[in-house]
Amino acid sequence: MNQLFSPYSLKGLELKNRVVMPPMCQYSVTEKDGIANDWHYNHYVSRAIGGTGLIIIEMTDVEPDGRISDYDLGLWSDEQVPALARIVDAVHQHGAKIGIQIAHAGRKAEDAAVPVAPSAIPFDEKSKTPRALSTDEVKEMVEKFRLAVRRAVQAGFDTIELHGAHGYLIHQFHSPLTNQRTDEFGKDLTLFGREVIQAAKSEMPADMPLIMRISAQEYVEGGYGIQESIAISKAYQEAGVDMFHISAGGEGPIAAWGRPGTHAAYQVPLARDIKQALDVPVIAVGRLDEPVLANAVIGNEDADLVAVGRGMLRNPFWTLEASVKLGQGNVIPQQLITGFPRS
């Protein structure tokens, strides 16, 4: 029977447990050059020491104006590779595997003078109105994703995650709320995402899995729901996605009537539905920081991996403490053993 501390493998990715640190922006690139610094190094390496199976580095952008803020990470330049490679090497030394989330914020790029998007539709009344990308610019954007993935592979990452959720650029293309184009990228809402996937796969080793994060439900008036997201995911699966990271929301101001309470495990049913519909591995996320609950998600086969966000922000040793609570025998580093008394 699978449990939170059962090993897991997907293609060439072999994890010692099912615990994932999901990508969470730190907004800590103080030099505004997209280069990871000591904060990022300590932040991610400490979670590797803390027993996490898979760490996914925060949203890392394919061009300067693709950042949510100028304090975000980037992979638009070869100069940004060494600092990430340093993190990768250290994480590996502590027995964890590491991925990186490649993205573009699109119309949600707050510090861009004029953000770009599929269509010239602002996020809300306080946001800048974006400029619609030309067809040629969309194709150039696919190339920027490809080059960012190439650099991520050079840095030594074990897996790549494409950010197709939370109202960022890929999500903007596959949502009818934000894609009102009349060209080929408007007639087929998944075309941009599929081309990005194929570009990413062209740079990745054959045994490296590609993860895509999606919002399985938009929770805005007129937004898509689970059936539409299953169809979107199927198109992406056929294009080459190996695993989906299932989140929700982000494409507009949340309608009060349209979203369930953010109770524990509120997004797990979405992950289960996509897993079952497509027979594809999934990562569940969202209020799963109680170890017994996280273990149940794996044991009940609702998901293959569990991402613990807020819990891991509070405690880099969340995974070690969960192993003790669950009695599943994760190895406590010798240097920390006196802090984890055995019952």
Side-chain angles (χ1 to χ4, degrees), residues 6-289:
S6 300
Y8 180 77
S9 62
L10 178 64
K11 300 178 79 171
L13 178 67
E14 296 183 357
L15 306 178
K16 62 183 179 181
N17 59 49
R18 309 298 184 97
V19 182
V20 177
M21 179 184 184
M24 295 175 285
C25 287
Q26 297 296 291
Y27 305 111
S28 295
V29 183
T30 52
E31 298 300 317
K32 300 185 180 181
D33 55 7
I35 297 175
N37 55 34
D38 284 348
W39 173 266
H40 302 93
Y41 180 90
N42 293 323
H43 179 63
Y44 292 112
V45 176
S46 64
R47 274 67 185 180
I49 294 170
T52 308
L54 174 63
I55 293 164
I56 305 177
I57 284 186
E58 66 202 79
M59 180 172 170
T60 302
D61 300 291
V62 303
E63 66 173 3
D65 281 349
R67 293 173 290 181
I68 302 171
S69 85
D70 287 348
Y71 297 95
D72 290 349
L73 292 175
L75 260 179
W76 62 80
S77 167
D78 291 345
E79 295 178 356
Q80 295 157 337
V81 173
L84 291 171
R86 175 174 174 251
I87 295 172
V88 169
D89 290 344
V91 164
H92 285 162
Q93 288 174 21
H94 295 288
K97 298 300 174 66
I98 185 167
I100 188 168
Q101 186 185 72
I102 305 298
H104 190 294
R107 68 176 186 169
K108 297 177 81 172
E110 297 172 2
D111 288 341
V114 181
V116 297
S119 302
I121 304 170
F123 177 71
D124 58 25
E125 65 278 0
K126 298 178 182 178
S127 303
K128 299 172 184 175
T129 298
R131 177 180 64 81
L133 292 160
S134 70
T135 301
D136 286 343
E137 286 175 325
V138 175
K139 294 177 181 179
E140 291 169 2
M141 190 66 73
V142 173
E143 178 69 1
K144 290 175 182 178
F145 271 89
R146 185 182 71 80
L147 293 174
V149 171
R150 172 184 287 183
R151 294 184 182 104
V153 172
Q154 291 172 347
F157 286 97
D158 302 297
T159 183
I160 305 294
E161 178 172 288
L162 297 174
H163 201 345
H166 301 166
Y168 299 120
L169 190 63
I170 295 174
H171 185 174
Q172 290 165 29
F173 267 93
H174 69 229
S175 172
L177 289 174
T178 46
N179 185 347
Q180 298 180 7
R181 303 173 66 91
T182 57
D183 67 355
E184 59 192 294
F185 292 99
K187 293 175 183 177
D188 181 345
L189 298 185
T190 65
L191 179 59
F192 176 69
R194 297 196 331 265
E195 290 198 356
V196 169
I197 290 162
Q198 290 163 356
K201 296 288 278 194
S202 75
E203 296 290 343
M204 296 167 60
D207 65 344
M208 179 186 288
L210 178 63
I211 304 169
M212 178 170 255
R213 197 170 205 186
I214 64 161
S215 287
Q217 189 157 328
E218 289 191 299
Y219 296 129
V220 291
E221 186 173 2
Y224 66 72
I226 185 61
Q227 292 308 313
E228 292 86 353
S229 66
I230 287 172
I232 291 166
S233 298
K234 182 174 178 57
Y236 291 159
Q237 181 186 29
E238 291 174 350
V241 171
D242 298 295
M243 170 178 268
F244 289 95
H245 191 169
I246 310 301
S247 190
E251 194 58 307
I254 297 169
W257 54 266
R259 183 173 184 171
T262 53
H263 50 268
Y266 74 103
Q267 293 179 153
V268 169
L270 300 172
R272 180 177 59 240
D273 286 348
I274 289 176
K275 177 178 173 63
Q276 293 178 347
L278 302 182
D279 190 23
V280 66
V282 299
I283 305 171
V285 66
R287 308 275 180 171
L288 297 174
D289 53 353

